[in-house]
Amino acid sequence: MHIAVLAGDGIGQEIMVEALRVLDMLDLPDLKLDHADVGGVAYRAHGHPLPAETLNLAKAADAVLFGAVGDPELDSLRRELRVESAVLGLRKELQLFANLRPAKAFAGLERLSGLKPEIAGAIDLLILRELIGDIYFGEKGQRETEEGLREGYDIMAYDESEIARIAHVAFKAAQGRSKKLCSVDKANVLQTSALWRKVVDEIAPEYPDVELEHMYVDNAAMQMVRNPGQFDVVLTGNLFGDILSDQASMCVGSIGLLASASLGEGTKGLYEPIHGSAPDIAGQGIANPMAMILSAAMMLRHSFADEDNALRIENAVADVLADNVLGHDLGGSASTSEIGDAVVAKLSAG
């Protein structure tokens, strides 16, 4: 079990410590951890947010456990050196095209959602976001119009093979859940979305046991706060998935509770919490490590087929939250290390 550990910036360093403590508690056989710099830390030490040695380690490892990147002091760097380009580069180089972002309400925390508790309590969905196409990776730039005005442009594009491969992942995921798939697009306006919808429809007959529906992204955003319990698996592109998955996190109650997995064709994956580096609280010991710990659980499940230990971690997290051991983001007072202590204690107690 060779894992590349890329803690990154801000609270990434603090929450990674707790995730590694949890993995150590499981006494996993043949566990090998190799650490490397990424993001702002890497730029300051090596002159690039994704140094060659870090990328080579990620390629050689069986899985990548990733903290967060983001450093406001480096925001003025040119685009290719911006620290956020590190995670985009990893996704592209490792061909991690499928981003799995589960959102599920934890019992007893429904009150923390901006939704009515009975609505928030029904949330149990999985967002399948295409990760290495769309407007984020299309041609982009700035230019001057004939009238002498500055103009920015970003091109959104998907070819049918890119749509098909993420659609197959989503249909298979739905087969393992409640067999409901909602494909989200903007086919009434965008040609990219029109092709997206057509390709998804062409693949659907291969999965006759899955109920497929299509929904425009603006309606999906509305339905996610009106009746989120209607969703099981949500399939969408990179831009829409980025927005909807963050919205889903706040419907649950806190972005500090949501993990993610970025997968490709094989078992290699990159696992990270969906929150950022939170530089405003970095170093204070108050960051919630739960999303990082749950990302480690997803790593065990998807890269190492270790469902038993993945469930052990997830159950321990749920039990700690049920015991009202809450971080500052959830209205509690538990520190980063105290939350880690509580999860480790649950695992130790069996």
Side-chain angles (χ1 to χ4, degrees), residues 171 199-210 212:
F171 275 107
V199 173
V200 172
D201 277 337
E202 290 170 350
I203 291 171
E206 299 180 38
Y207 303 90
D209 56 331
V210 175
L212 171 66

Side-chain angles (χ1 to χ4, degrees), residues 6-20 35-38 41-42 67-68 277 282-283 292 336:
L6 311 181
D9 305 320
I11 63 170
Q13 301 284 334
E14 305 163 54
I15 60 177
M16 184 65 76
V17 169
E18 304 309 321
L20 296 182
H35 298 253
D37 293 334
V38 73
V41 170
S277 61
M292 187 77 253
T336 307

Side-chain angles (χ1 to χ4, degrees), residues 258-270:
L258 270 68
S260 76
S262 300
L263 308 175
E265 297 287 0
T267 58
K268 185 193 291 287
L270 183 149

